């Protein structure tokens, strides 16, 4: 199961809003191949402006006067650091709630201090090497996306007490840090980094965690995450399932592509629906029934392919008998 980046919603259909005067409040110019906005009328009443997938390398100064703007997207353009510097003086847009600069050519975090009501900030898919500058971003922020950059350290986000989603996948992080103040964090996406040890800094309210494709050799560190519902740990070097017995809310567990030889420590998980164990070194399915006894009736999907035990001739039939409500075994779905 691949790690999924989670950008803010992309409004592809400008006619989706049907409140009578949406044409003057929502402007969707997605994929118009615009090099500039010279030929575009920008009504002062705009609340949403989507410029996704164009060829913009500069910002139209008229945008700075759109005082009603709540959502602004420059996703997938050609903007460099110098081009976005003017936004730091866009005082008329102080009520902006969503700013998307995803997939451009940025090398640093832009100065977004003017947007004190900002809730969503997306600078994923750029060339950013440091989170320096994040300390200026509003403490009201709820969603931060900085995936697919070159960030080496989690820093300058200690003030983001309201943050609910943090996406830092596909960077160069080695250590989990500066998370202790994010007591409202619901989702933490750190896949495709270089992290060796789990350190959630005492956080207990997280519901989704991804540490796929890192350098973990142990599952220790999740014990206190009693609200956790989804845990993705595929493509690591984990040899033993442990520290899971307290995660009683867990619905999805992905430990595929590791070095596991047995299934352990999930007997108490009565809510488990999806269990990914494929591409490990599990020899026998005999112990699986006992290991997953708590969710025997609940389990709907199990992946065990590319394990030695999957070569058994009665492998699929045995699993189906063990889990009466199973709907999918590996890629095979039952009617």
């Amino acid at each position: 199961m691949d790690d999924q980046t989670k950008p803010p919603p992309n409004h592809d259909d400008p006619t989706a809003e049907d409140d009578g005067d949406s044409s003057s409040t929502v402007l969707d110019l997605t994929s118009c191949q615009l090099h500039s906005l010279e030929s575009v009328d920008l009504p002062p009443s705009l609340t949403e402006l989507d410029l996704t997938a164009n060829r913009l390398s500069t910002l139209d100064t008229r945008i700075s006067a759109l005082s009603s703007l709540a959502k602004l997207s420059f996703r997938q353009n050609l903007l460099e650091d110098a081009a976005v510097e003017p936004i730091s003086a866009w005082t008329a847009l102080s009520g902006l709630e969503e700013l998307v600069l995803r997939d451009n050519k940025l090398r640093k975090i832009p100065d977004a201090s003017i947007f004190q009501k900002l809730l969503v900030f997306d600078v994923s898919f750029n060339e950013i090497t440091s989170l320096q500058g994040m300390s200026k971003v509003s403490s009201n922020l709820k969603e931060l996306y900085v995936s697919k950059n070159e960030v080496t350290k989690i820093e300058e986000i200690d003030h983001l007490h309201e943050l609910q989603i943090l996406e830092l996948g596909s960077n160069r992080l080695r250590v989990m840090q500066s998370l202790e103040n994010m007591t409202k964090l619901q989702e933490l996406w750190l896949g495709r980094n270089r992290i060796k040890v789990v350190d959630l800094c005492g956080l207990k309210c997280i519901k989704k965690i991804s540490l796929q494709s890192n350098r973990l050799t142990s599952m220790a560190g999740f014990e206190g995450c009693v609200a956790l519902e989804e845990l993705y740990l595929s493509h690591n070097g984990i040899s033993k399932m442990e520290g899971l017995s307290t995660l009683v809310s867990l619905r999805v567990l992905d430990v595929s592509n590791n070095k596991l030889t047995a299934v352990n420590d999930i007997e108490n998980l009565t809510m488990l629906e999806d269990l990914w164990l494929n591409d490990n070194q599990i020899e026998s399915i005999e112990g699986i029934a006992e290991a997953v006894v708590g969710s025997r009736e609940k389990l709907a999907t199990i992946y065990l392919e590319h394990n030695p035990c999957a070569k058994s001739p009665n492998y699929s039939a045995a699993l189906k008998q063990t889990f009466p409500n199973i709907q999918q075994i590996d890629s095979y779905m039952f009617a």
Side-chain angles (χ1 to χ4, degrees), residues 71-128:
K71 297 182 179 181
L72 177 59
S73 176
F74 293 106
R75 178 177 178 175
Q76 201 175 338
N77 278 279
L78 304 171
L79 298 173
E80 298 183 355
D81 294 327
V84 300
E85 283 182 4
I87 70 172
S88 63
W90 285 5
T91 54
L93 271 66
S94 59
L96 194 71
E97 296 179 355
E98 183 174 305
L99 178 59
V100 179
L101 289 160
R102 177 188 179 91
D103 200 357
N104 278 279
K105 296 185 175 182
L106 304 180
R107 292 182 177 273
K108 62 181 181 180
I109 299 290
D111 184 352
S113 57
I114 201 75
F115 311 120
Q116 284 304 302
K117 294 184 179 179
L118 199 64
L119 301 177
V120 178
F121 190 35
D122 187 352
V123 289
S124 295
F125 287 80
N126 279 285
E127 301 166 19
I128 296 170

Side-chain angles (χ1 to χ4, degrees), residues 5-53:
T5 302
K6 290 188 158 33
N10 180 23
H11 304 285
D12 291 325
D13 182 6
T15 64
E17 306 229 358
D18 191 21
D19 56 3
D21 61 349
S22 64
S23 59
S24 61
T25 61
V26 178
L27 181 57
D28 190 338
L29 296 172
T30 299
S31 300
C32 290
Q33 295 301 307
L34 296 170
H35 289 261
S36 78
L37 300 181
E38 290 180 4
S39 61
V40 177
D41 181 38
L42 297 177
S45 56
L46 281 180
T47 59
E48 298 183 26
L49 177 57
D50 193 340
L51 297 164
T52 295

Side-chain angles (χ1 to χ4, degrees), residues 56 63 83 95 171 280 287:
L56 301 175
I63 298 175
N171 278 284
N280 278 287

